[in-house]
Short mmCIF file of all heavy atoms in Angstrom, two decimals:
data_model
loop_
_atom_site.label_atom_id
_atom_site.label_comp_id
_atom_site.label_asym_id
_atom_site.label_seq_id
_atom_site.Cartn_x
_atom_site.Cartn_y
_atom_site.Cartn_z
N CYS A 278 69.35 -48.00 -70.97
CA CYS A 278 69.67 -46.65 -70.42
C CYS A 278 69.89 -46.87 -68.89
O CYS A 278 68.98 -47.42 -68.23
CB CYS A 278 68.62 -45.61 -70.67
SG CYS A 278 68.73 -44.16 -69.69
N ILE A 279 71.07 -46.53 -68.38
CA ILE A 279 71.38 -46.72 -66.94
C ILE A 279 71.69 -45.38 -66.23
O ILE A 279 72.40 -44.55 -66.83
CB ILE A 279 72.58 -47.70 -66.77
CG1 ILE A 279 72.24 -49.04 -67.36
CG2 ILE A 279 72.95 -47.83 -65.31
CD1 ILE A 279 73.42 -50.05 -67.23
N LEU A 280 71.16 -45.23 -65.09
CA LEU A 280 71.46 -44.08 -64.25
C LEU A 280 72.42 -44.63 -63.08
O LEU A 280 72.07 -45.48 -62.35
CB LEU A 280 70.30 -43.50 -63.61
CG LEU A 280 70.49 -42.11 -62.94
CD1 LEU A 280 70.74 -41.04 -63.95
CD2 LEU A 280 69.27 -41.71 -62.08
N TRP A 281 73.65 -44.05 -63.04
CA TRP A 281 74.65 -44.44 -62.14
C TRP A 281 74.81 -43.52 -60.99
O TRP A 281 74.70 -42.30 -61.10
CB TRP A 281 76.03 -44.58 -62.78
CG TRP A 281 76.07 -45.38 -64.01
CD1 TRP A 281 75.78 -45.04 -65.33
CD2 TRP A 281 76.34 -46.78 -64.11
NE1 TRP A 281 75.93 -46.09 -66.17
CE2 TRP A 281 76.33 -47.22 -65.41
CE3 TRP A 281 76.81 -47.73 -63.09
CZ2 TRP A 281 76.57 -48.53 -65.87
CZ3 TRP A 281 77.08 -49.04 -63.51
CH2 TRP A 281 76.96 -49.47 -64.91
N ASP A 282 75.14 -44.04 -59.80
CA ASP A 282 75.50 -43.26 -58.59
C ASP A 282 77.05 -43.18 -58.59
O ASP A 282 77.71 -44.16 -58.55
CB ASP A 282 74.97 -43.90 -57.31
CG ASP A 282 75.25 -43.11 -56.12
OD1 ASP A 282 76.37 -43.22 -55.55
OD2 ASP A 282 74.40 -42.25 -55.75
N ILE A 283 77.51 -41.97 -58.62
CA ILE A 283 78.97 -41.77 -58.72
C ILE A 283 79.72 -42.32 -57.48
O ILE A 283 80.74 -42.92 -57.60
CB ILE A 283 79.28 -40.28 -58.98
CG1 ILE A 283 78.74 -39.85 -60.34
CG2 ILE A 283 80.78 -40.01 -58.93
CD1 ILE A 283 78.95 -38.36 -60.62
N VAL A 284 79.13 -42.09 -56.37
CA VAL A 284 79.84 -42.47 -55.07
C VAL A 284 79.95 -43.98 -54.97
O VAL A 284 81.02 -44.52 -54.71
CB VAL A 284 79.05 -41.86 -53.88
CG1 VAL A 284 79.76 -42.28 -52.60
CG2 VAL A 284 79.05 -40.29 -53.99
N THR A 285 78.88 -44.71 -55.18
CA THR A 285 78.82 -46.15 -54.87
C THR A 285 79.24 -46.91 -56.11
O THR A 285 79.44 -48.17 -56.01
CB THR A 285 77.46 -46.58 -54.44
OG1 THR A 285 76.53 -46.29 -55.50
CG2 THR A 285 77.03 -45.87 -53.20
N GLU A 286 79.26 -46.26 -57.32
CA GLU A 286 79.64 -46.90 -58.58
C GLU A 286 78.54 -48.00 -58.93
O GLU A 286 78.84 -48.85 -59.77
CB GLU A 286 80.97 -47.60 -58.50
CG GLU A 286 82.18 -46.69 -58.22
CD GLU A 286 83.54 -47.35 -58.29
OE1 GLU A 286 83.73 -48.18 -59.29
OE2 GLU A 286 84.34 -47.08 -57.43
N GLN A 287 77.38 -47.92 -58.42
CA GLN A 287 76.30 -48.83 -58.68
C GLN A 287 75.21 -48.05 -59.48
O GLN A 287 75.05 -46.89 -59.36
CB GLN A 287 75.72 -49.39 -57.40
CG GLN A 287 76.72 -50.17 -56.52
CD GLN A 287 77.23 -51.39 -57.25
OE1 GLN A 287 76.49 -52.11 -57.92
NE2 GLN A 287 78.51 -51.60 -57.05
N HIS A 288 74.49 -48.91 -60.29
CA HIS A 288 73.38 -48.25 -61.01
C HIS A 288 72.19 -48.12 -60.14
O HIS A 288 71.76 -49.00 -59.42
CB HIS A 288 73.13 -49.01 -62.30
CG HIS A 288 72.64 -50.42 -62.15
ND1 HIS A 288 73.46 -51.53 -62.31
CD2 HIS A 288 71.40 -50.89 -61.89
CE1 HIS A 288 72.77 -52.59 -62.17
NE2 HIS A 288 71.48 -52.28 -61.82
N VAL A 289 71.57 -46.99 -60.24
CA VAL A 289 70.32 -46.69 -59.50
C VAL A 289 69.14 -47.33 -60.11
O VAL A 289 68.29 -47.94 -59.47
CB VAL A 289 70.10 -45.21 -59.41
CG1 VAL A 289 68.84 -44.84 -58.64
CG2 VAL A 289 71.31 -44.48 -58.75
N VAL A 290 69.04 -47.21 -61.42
CA VAL A 290 67.98 -47.84 -62.19
C VAL A 290 68.46 -48.17 -63.59
O VAL A 290 69.41 -47.49 -64.15
CB VAL A 290 66.78 -46.90 -62.23
CG1 VAL A 290 67.09 -45.61 -62.92
CG2 VAL A 290 65.55 -47.59 -62.86
N LYS A 291 67.92 -49.17 -64.15
CA LYS A 291 68.27 -49.58 -65.55
C LYS A 291 66.94 -49.81 -66.39
O LYS A 291 66.11 -50.54 -65.96
CB LYS A 291 69.10 -50.87 -65.57
CG LYS A 291 69.54 -51.36 -66.95
CD LYS A 291 70.44 -52.54 -66.90
CE LYS A 291 70.96 -52.99 -68.24
NZ LYS A 291 71.85 -54.17 -68.14
N TYR A 292 66.87 -49.07 -67.56
CA TYR A 292 65.74 -49.24 -68.39
C TYR A 292 66.19 -49.84 -69.66
O TYR A 292 67.17 -49.53 -70.20
CB TYR A 292 65.18 -47.78 -68.75
CG TYR A 292 64.66 -47.06 -67.56
CD1 TYR A 292 65.38 -46.01 -66.95
CD2 TYR A 292 63.40 -47.27 -67.07
CE1 TYR A 292 64.94 -45.31 -65.86
CE2 TYR A 292 62.91 -46.54 -65.92
CZ TYR A 292 63.70 -45.64 -65.34
OH TYR A 292 63.24 -44.88 -64.33
N LYS A 293 65.30 -50.75 -70.10
CA LYS A 293 65.57 -51.46 -71.40
C LYS A 293 64.31 -51.50 -72.17
O LYS A 293 63.65 -52.56 -72.31
CB LYS A 293 66.10 -52.90 -71.06
CG LYS A 293 66.88 -53.50 -72.27
CD LYS A 293 67.68 -54.69 -71.90
CE LYS A 293 68.50 -55.19 -73.07
NZ LYS A 293 69.36 -56.35 -72.77
N GLU A 294 63.93 -50.34 -72.68
CA GLU A 294 62.59 -50.18 -73.29
C GLU A 294 62.65 -50.07 -74.87
O GLU A 294 61.62 -50.09 -75.54
CB GLU A 294 61.94 -48.94 -72.77
CG GLU A 294 61.77 -48.92 -71.28
CD GLU A 294 60.76 -49.95 -70.74
OE1 GLU A 294 59.86 -50.35 -71.55
OE2 GLU A 294 60.83 -50.40 -69.61
N HIS A 295 63.88 -49.94 -75.37
CA HIS A 295 63.99 -49.76 -76.84
C HIS A 295 64.14 -51.11 -77.61
O HIS A 295 64.55 -52.11 -76.97
CB HIS A 295 65.15 -48.84 -77.14
CG HIS A 295 65.03 -47.45 -76.81
ND1 HIS A 295 64.41 -46.52 -77.72
CD2 HIS A 295 65.23 -46.65 -75.70
CE1 HIS A 295 64.35 -45.38 -77.13
NE2 HIS A 295 64.84 -45.43 -75.96
N ASN A 296 63.92 -51.10 -78.88
CA ASN A 296 64.02 -52.27 -79.72
C ASN A 296 65.31 -52.17 -80.63
O ASN A 296 65.48 -53.08 -81.45
CB ASN A 296 62.80 -52.44 -80.61
CG ASN A 296 61.59 -52.64 -79.70
OD1 ASN A 296 61.60 -53.33 -78.77
ND2 ASN A 296 60.47 -52.04 -80.14
N ASP A 297 66.02 -51.16 -80.42
CA ASP A 297 67.25 -50.96 -81.30
C ASP A 297 68.31 -50.19 -80.50
O ASP A 297 68.03 -49.76 -79.35
CB ASP A 297 66.90 -50.24 -82.67
CG ASP A 297 67.81 -50.64 -83.77
OD1 ASP A 297 68.99 -51.00 -83.46
OD2 ASP A 297 67.41 -50.48 -84.97
N TYR A 298 69.47 -49.91 -81.16
CA TYR A 298 70.53 -49.20 -80.52
C TYR A 298 70.01 -47.85 -79.96
O TYR A 298 69.15 -47.16 -80.56
CB TYR A 298 71.67 -48.87 -81.49
CG TYR A 298 72.36 -50.05 -82.07
CD1 TYR A 298 73.03 -49.96 -83.28
CD2 TYR A 298 72.37 -51.26 -81.38
CE1 TYR A 298 73.67 -51.06 -83.83
CE2 TYR A 298 73.06 -52.35 -81.90
CZ TYR A 298 73.71 -52.22 -83.15
OH TYR A 298 74.35 -53.36 -83.67
N ILE A 299 70.56 -47.43 -78.78
CA ILE A 299 70.34 -46.09 -78.25
C ILE A 299 71.60 -45.28 -78.47
O ILE A 299 72.65 -45.46 -77.90
CB ILE A 299 70.02 -46.18 -76.77
CG1 ILE A 299 68.86 -47.02 -76.47
CG2 ILE A 299 69.77 -44.76 -76.21
CD1 ILE A 299 68.49 -47.20 -75.03
N ARG A 300 71.48 -44.35 -79.41
CA ARG A 300 72.63 -43.49 -79.77
C ARG A 300 72.40 -41.97 -79.31
O ARG A 300 73.29 -41.16 -79.52
CB ARG A 300 72.87 -43.49 -81.27
CG ARG A 300 73.19 -44.86 -81.80
CD ARG A 300 74.63 -45.22 -81.44
NE ARG A 300 75.01 -46.55 -81.84
CZ ARG A 300 75.51 -46.81 -83.04
NH1 ARG A 300 75.72 -45.86 -83.97
NH2 ARG A 300 75.88 -48.06 -83.34
N ALA A 301 71.27 -41.73 -78.66
CA ALA A 301 71.02 -40.29 -78.27
C ALA A 301 70.35 -40.32 -76.88
O ALA A 301 69.65 -41.27 -76.52
CB ALA A 301 70.16 -39.60 -79.30
N GLY A 302 70.56 -39.26 -76.18
CA GLY A 302 69.91 -39.14 -74.84
C GLY A 302 70.20 -37.75 -74.23
O GLY A 302 71.07 -36.99 -74.76
N CYS A 303 69.53 -37.47 -73.17
CA CYS A 303 69.78 -36.14 -72.50
C CYS A 303 69.15 -36.29 -71.13
O CYS A 303 68.38 -37.20 -70.83
CB CYS A 303 69.22 -35.01 -73.30
SG CYS A 303 67.47 -35.01 -73.55
N VAL A 304 69.52 -35.28 -70.25
CA VAL A 304 68.95 -35.25 -68.92
C VAL A 304 68.38 -33.83 -68.71
O VAL A 304 68.76 -32.79 -69.42
CB VAL A 304 70.08 -35.45 -67.87
CG1 VAL A 304 70.55 -36.90 -67.89
CG2 VAL A 304 71.20 -34.51 -67.92
N SER A 305 67.36 -33.74 -67.85
CA SER A 305 66.68 -32.48 -67.66
C SER A 305 67.64 -31.46 -66.94
O SER A 305 68.34 -31.95 -66.03
CB SER A 305 65.44 -32.70 -66.75
OG SER A 305 64.92 -31.45 -66.37
N PRO A 306 67.67 -30.23 -67.38
CA PRO A 306 68.51 -29.20 -66.76
C PRO A 306 68.00 -28.72 -65.42
O PRO A 306 68.71 -27.98 -64.71
CB PRO A 306 68.56 -28.12 -67.79
CG PRO A 306 67.37 -28.18 -68.53
CD PRO A 306 66.99 -29.68 -68.57
N VAL A 307 66.75 -29.05 -65.02
CA VAL A 307 66.15 -28.58 -63.80
C VAL A 307 65.71 -29.67 -62.86
O VAL A 307 65.51 -29.44 -61.74
CB VAL A 307 64.97 -27.62 -64.14
CG1 VAL A 307 65.46 -26.44 -64.88
CG2 VAL A 307 63.90 -28.38 -64.95
N ASN A 308 65.57 -30.90 -63.37
CA ASN A 308 65.07 -32.02 -62.60
C ASN A 308 66.05 -33.20 -62.70
O ASN A 308 66.09 -33.76 -63.79
CB ASN A 308 63.69 -32.37 -62.98
CG ASN A 308 62.98 -33.33 -62.04
OD1 ASN A 308 63.66 -34.05 -61.22
ND2 ASN A 308 61.65 -33.42 -62.16
N PRO A 309 66.72 -33.59 -61.60
CA PRO A 309 67.73 -34.74 -61.70
C PRO A 309 67.05 -36.03 -61.88
O PRO A 309 67.71 -37.02 -62.12
CB PRO A 309 68.49 -34.56 -60.37
CG PRO A 309 67.48 -33.91 -59.43
CD PRO A 309 66.71 -32.95 -60.26
N SER A 310 65.76 -36.11 -61.81
CA SER A 310 65.06 -37.36 -61.90
C SER A 310 64.54 -37.72 -63.36
O SER A 310 64.08 -38.80 -63.56
CB SER A 310 63.83 -37.40 -60.97
OG SER A 310 64.24 -37.23 -59.62
N VAL A 311 64.61 -36.74 -64.22
CA VAL A 311 64.07 -36.93 -65.62
C VAL A 311 65.23 -37.18 -66.53
O VAL A 311 66.22 -36.43 -66.65
CB VAL A 311 63.32 -35.68 -66.02
CG1 VAL A 311 62.82 -35.79 -67.47
CG2 VAL A 311 62.11 -35.42 -65.07
N VAL A 312 65.10 -38.31 -67.30
CA VAL A 312 66.06 -38.77 -68.25
C VAL A 312 65.36 -39.11 -69.57
O VAL A 312 64.26 -39.63 -69.54
CB VAL A 312 66.90 -39.95 -67.82
CG1 VAL A 312 67.89 -40.40 -68.87
CG2 VAL A 312 67.65 -39.66 -66.50
N VAL A 313 65.93 -38.76 -70.71
CA VAL A 313 65.33 -39.06 -72.02
C VAL A 313 66.32 -39.86 -72.87
O VAL A 313 67.48 -39.52 -72.88
CB VAL A 313 64.93 -37.75 -72.72
CG1 VAL A 313 64.49 -38.04 -74.17
CG2 VAL A 313 63.79 -37.03 -71.97
N SER A 314 65.79 -40.89 -73.56
CA SER A 314 66.67 -41.67 -74.49
C SER A 314 66.02 -41.69 -75.82
O SER A 314 64.79 -41.70 -76.03
CB SER A 314 66.88 -43.09 -73.95
OG SER A 314 65.61 -43.73 -73.90
N GLY A 315 66.87 -41.63 -76.85
CA GLY A 315 66.41 -41.78 -78.27
C GLY A 315 67.05 -42.90 -78.98
O GLY A 315 68.30 -43.02 -78.93
N GLY A 316 66.29 -43.74 -79.59
CA GLY A 316 66.85 -44.95 -80.18
C GLY A 316 66.72 -44.98 -81.71
O GLY A 316 66.03 -44.18 -82.33
N TYR A 317 67.42 -46.02 -82.28
CA TYR A 317 67.33 -46.20 -83.72
C TYR A 317 66.01 -46.83 -84.13
O TYR A 317 65.84 -46.97 -85.37
CB TYR A 317 68.54 -47.01 -84.16
CG TYR A 317 69.75 -46.19 -84.60
CD1 TYR A 317 69.99 -44.97 -84.09
CD2 TYR A 317 70.70 -46.72 -85.45
CE1 TYR A 317 71.02 -44.13 -84.35
CE2 TYR A 317 71.87 -45.95 -85.79
CZ TYR A 317 71.96 -44.65 -85.26
OH TYR A 317 73.07 -43.88 -85.56
N ASP A 318 65.20 -47.14 -83.18
CA ASP A 318 63.80 -47.58 -83.53
C ASP A 318 62.89 -46.44 -83.71
O ASP A 318 61.68 -46.65 -83.92
CB ASP A 318 63.31 -48.53 -82.40
CG ASP A 318 63.34 -47.87 -81.03
OD1 ASP A 318 63.84 -46.73 -80.95
OD2 ASP A 318 63.02 -48.54 -80.03
N GLY A 319 63.42 -45.21 -83.61
CA GLY A 319 62.63 -44.02 -83.86
C GLY A 319 61.82 -43.58 -82.60
O GLY A 319 61.12 -42.59 -82.64
#
């Protein structure tokens, strides 16, 4: 899961915590710092 900066085209942070494909995710509607990912590892 990568968080990108639109202006610089660079990734701010990259997480690689899952053991399988990541097909789902979402971002918080009130906090720009919170990101959630859901993987095929359950």
Side-chain angles (χ1 to χ4, degrees):
C278 166
I279 297 180
L280 191 72
W281 305 87
D282 184 273
I283 295 176
V284 177
T285 64
E286 301 184 44
Q287 300 297 319
H288 63 260
V289 178
V290 63
K291 181 175 182 178
Y292 297 99
K293 200 165 185 179
E294 303 292 336
H295 287 272
N296 300 319
D297 207 335
Y298 297 156
I299 303 178
R300 296 288 177 88
C303 61
V304 295
S305 171
V307 295
N308 190 341
S310 302
V311 176
V312 179
V313 172
S314 63
Y317 270 23
D318 55 1

